[in-house]
Amino acid sequence: MSNVETICALSTAPGIGGIAVIRVSGPQALEICDKILNKKISTKDSHTANHAWVLVEQEKLDEVVATVFKSPKSFTGEDTVEIACHGSVFIQQKIIEALLYAGAQLAKPGEFTMRAYLNGKMDLSQAEAVADLIASEGAAEHKQALHQMRGGFSKEINTLRDRLIHFASMVELELDFAEEDVEFANRAQLVKLLHEIMGVVNALIESFSLGNALKNGVPVAIIGAPNAGKSTLLNALLNEERAIVSEIAGTTRDTIEDYITLGGIKFKFIDTAGLRTTNDAIEKLGIERAYDKAKSASAILLMFDVNTTSAAELAAMRADVMEQAGQGKHIIVLANKVDHPDFDKANFEKQFADVKHLIFISAKNKLHMAELKEELMNTVNAGRVNSGQTIVTNLRHHEALTKAAQSLNEILIGTENNVSADLLAVDIRKTLYHLGEITGQINADDLLNNIFSKFCIGK
Ligand code: GDP
């Protein structure tokens, strides 16, 4: 535990409040608080609330209550002090500054909870997934799917780590026999394993964009000529009159965003300005924004009035959107206004037979909305979400995986260049560390235990 940093952070909501609570946790928590308070709290019993003054450069800054929790009986399992101060932002900042000066580090997001998990205080898979993922309106199935993901994730990481630990112990064993030039860790097997692990790690890293979209709402841009029925569609999906529906072409000048949960997945619909050539400066800006939104969207609903648009016009519009939004975007084409008296089903179906992902709808009469919803679910790989396959949703996990991928690459380069066992061991440890950051700490003891459990080397 000696190299564990002591961390501090504001634990109440940022901003002005009646009081604010700053949490300090780690092996030096009591000692550090002693330095900023006018009395020693390190000598106080656990679970006591102590009146004190915070001193900054010998000056009294604020009158506070410092609650002491001694390890292991605290939220994090470490020595913890919770300083309840008056809720001015200035005071909060000054106290945090004083703590940093006295030797604490600023806590990373979720770090208190992570420590609680690492110290066996709670199940991280629940804590993190719940905190990170479940939007308040999230459906029950959503919650279940997310819960599954997290469980699967830990298991996947642990399996990779265990296999790498095995290699690490072999490589470290070579260090003990350095004089004799033996090779316990078969390099070809190591390379094979590295490729395997990289495959899994990279897939997890990739899944983050989906995970992130799930958390923030999968962005879907609704694009089409003025009067195609974009606002009407949004209203139909939302079941409320939110966007302005009008018969004057070009009314939706800016973008309107709204959230709707389909099958437990949150979508963010973005109604954009109608696409057309215009000299109106404001409208031009709106159209530019529409393309920007399309670029960052996961899916695009390209909408047209089926009664007034030819197949050639649609093809041109589709090509334009693809060019602006980037290749590989999932475009769902919506032939709107099938309720119109001019609509001739057989004829139109023939006319647009070549168009992929085309759905005939009536936004006004809410016809074929189920097909549209199904198509939307396909765009986010809903199958993957509901099958319980691992999706990384947490930024910290994503960062750890990215670092693990980098160090894996270093091991690979090292192995290819026949670097010495000690250098290899360092890189393997780095990877283990980053993987361990996700599920739990790893230390040298794990390696030693592994060596001694597998080998009788007569020591
Ligand atoms: P936007 O400019 O693309 O947002 O189009 P709006 O949603 O404002 O719709 C333009 C006009 O088309 C309005 O008068 C709507 O009532 C009408 N409209 C939209 N969808 C349909 C539809 O499915 N059928 C019919 N008949 N009219 C529609």
Side-chain angles (χ1 to χ4, degrees):
M1 291 295 281
S2 58
N3 56 359
V4 174
E5 301 280 5
T6 294
I7 51 172
C8 70
L10 180 70
S11 282
T12 41
I16 301 169
I19 62 164
V21 175
I22 292 159
R23 185 150 56 184
V24 189
S25 179
Q28 310 282 305
L30 298 164
E31 201 178 287
I32 287 172
C33 288
D34 277 353
K35 287 191 201 163
I36 73 156
L37 298 173
N38 69 337
K39 62 171 69 154
K40 264 195 185 309
I41 54 161
S42 52
T43 54
K44 305 286 181 192
D45 289 339
S46 185
H47 296 74
T48 55
N50 304 280
H51 171 266
W53 281 90
V54 173
L55 302 179
V56 172
E57 289 166 6
Q58 311 304 324
E59 293 275 330
K60 281 182 175 175
L61 173 79
D62 191 26
E63 195 174 11
V64 300
V65 174
T67 313
V68 173
F69 303 89
K70 292 194 175 166
S71 172
K73 291 190 168 179
S74 70
F75 173 73
T76 57
E78 302 170 327
D79 281 347
T80 299
V81 181
E82 286 183 3
I83 302 173
C85 62
H86 290 101
S88 106
V89 174
F90 174 75
I91 292 174
Q92 297 165 15
Q93 281 173 355
K94 278 288 168 195
I95 295 178
I96 289 173
E97 267 173 33
L99 287 167
L100 296 180
Y101 188 74
Q105 302 280 320
L106 209 53
K108 288 185 223 129
E111 201 172 358
F112 291 105
T113 314
M114 180 171 93
R115 289 185 177 200
Y117 164 69
L118 294 177
N119 293 323
K121 283 279 165 178
M122 67 163 63
D123 183 328
L124 183 69
S125 70
Q126 281 166 349
E128 257 179 337
V130 170
D132 241 11
L133 272 166
I134 298 168
S136 51
E137 76 263 38
E141 24 197 327
H142 195 179
K143 191 169 172 177
Q144 203 182 355
L146 300 178
H147 184 72
Q148 274 178 14
M149 284 171 219
R150 283 292 303 130
F153 186 32
S154 300
K155 214 162 134 194
E156 218 160 316
I157 294 291
N158 283 333
T159 311
L160 297 182
R161 220 190 54 191
D162 286 349
R163 295 179 66 188
L164 203 55
I165 286 177
H166 173 72
F167 255 102
S169 43
M170 299 288 205
V171 172
E172 304 237 341
L173 205 58
E174 286 175 15
L175 300 179
D176 286 351
F177 294 87
E179 310 284 293
E180 290 149 54
D181 194 23
V182 285
E183 194 177 278
F184 288 104
N186 181 311
R187 297 298 188 265
Q189 272 177 26
L190 177 62
V191 168
K192 192 165 162 266
L193 176 69
L194 289 174
H195 281 297
E196 243 177 83
I197 298 180
M198 271 173 154
V200 178
V201 167
N202 285 334
L204 288 171
I205 292 173
E206 246 169 60
S207 77
F208 182 66
S209 61
L210 172 58
N212 206 31
L214 286 179
K215 202 161 81 180
N216 299 315
V218 180
V220 178
I222 311 179
I223 284 193
N227 273 337
K230 300 180 295 296
S231 311
T232 309
L233 175 70
L234 192 69
N235 287 338
L237 288 169
L238 287 168
N239 261 329
E240 62 176 59
E241 301 289 313
R242 173 70 56 83
I244 318 147
V245 182
S246 151
E247 284 184 47
I248 309 156
T251 39
T252 313
R253 282 180 165 171
D254 212 332
T255 55
I256 296 173
E257 297 183 359
D258 244 309
Y259 295 91
I260 164 170
T261 304
L262 303 173
I265 294 168
K266 188 162 79 172
F267 288 88
K268 180 168 83 178
F269 285 96
I270 308 142
D271 183 13
T272 64
L275 301 181
R276 62 167 191 174
T277 339
T278 176
N279 290 322
D280 181 322
I282 299 171
E283 207 181 321
K284 259 190 185 159
L285 199 70
I287 292 173
E288 264 170 42
R289 276 204 211 149
Y291 280 132
D292 274 352
K293 293 284 178 186
K295 264 180 218 151
S296 57
S298 296
I300 295 168
L301 299 182
L302 176 59
M303 207 171 177
F304 67 101
D305 182 339
V306 72
N307 305 293
T308 61
T309 315
S310 70
E313 280 167 333
L314 173 67
M317 212 153 61
R318 197 173 191 280
D320 202 25
V321 170
M322 283 223 310
E323 191 192 314
Q324 296 283 342
Q327 297 288 329
K329 277 268 146 86
H330 191 90
I331 302 179
I332 302 171
V333 184
L334 298 177
N336 192 29
K337 309 196 187 182
V338 300
D339 61 291
H340 200 276
D342 293 347
F343 181 71
D344 174 352
K345 191 164 186 272
N347 184 20
F348 282 109
E349 270 175 359
K350 207 167 100 196
Q351 194 181 332
F352 296 105
D354 293 340
V355 184
K356 275 187 212 146
H357 301 287
L358 176 105
I359 310 171
F360 287 95
I361 65 160
S362 162
K364 196 174 176 181
N365 295 354
K366 297 185 187 166
L367 287 177
H368 307 298
M369 291 291 123
E371 278 153 81
L372 168 56
K373 284 178 189 175
E374 197 176 310
E375 192 70 43
L376 280 168
M377 300 287 287
N378 291 340
T379 67
V380 290
N381 200 348
R384 179 164 185 178
V385 177
N386 293 320
S387 72
Q389 268 189 60
T390 302
I391 296 171
V392 177
T393 53
N394 183 301
L395 182 63
R396 192 180 66 79
H397 296 169
H398 181 253
E399 281 175 357
L401 285 166
T402 309
K403 285 185 199 153
Q406 280 162 3
S407 50
L408 276 166
N409 210 25
E410 278 160 27
I411 311 175
L412 204 60
I413 293 169
T415 320
E416 276 162 8
N417 293 314
N418 287 320
V419 299
S420 60
D422 51 346
L423 289 179
L424 210 54
V426 171
D427 284 335
I428 296 179
R429 271 170 187 266
K430 248 198 240 170
T431 309
L432 287 173
Y433 176 81
H434 294 310
L435 292 177
E437 265 188 320
I438 297 164
T439 54
Q441 283 293 20
I442 169 128
N443 53 41
D445 289 345
D446 287 294
L447 295 176
L448 294 176
N449 288 341
N450 201 45
I451 292 175
F452 291 125
S453 68
K454 292 220 170 78
F455 294 96
C456 176
I457 51 176
K459 285 186 181 170

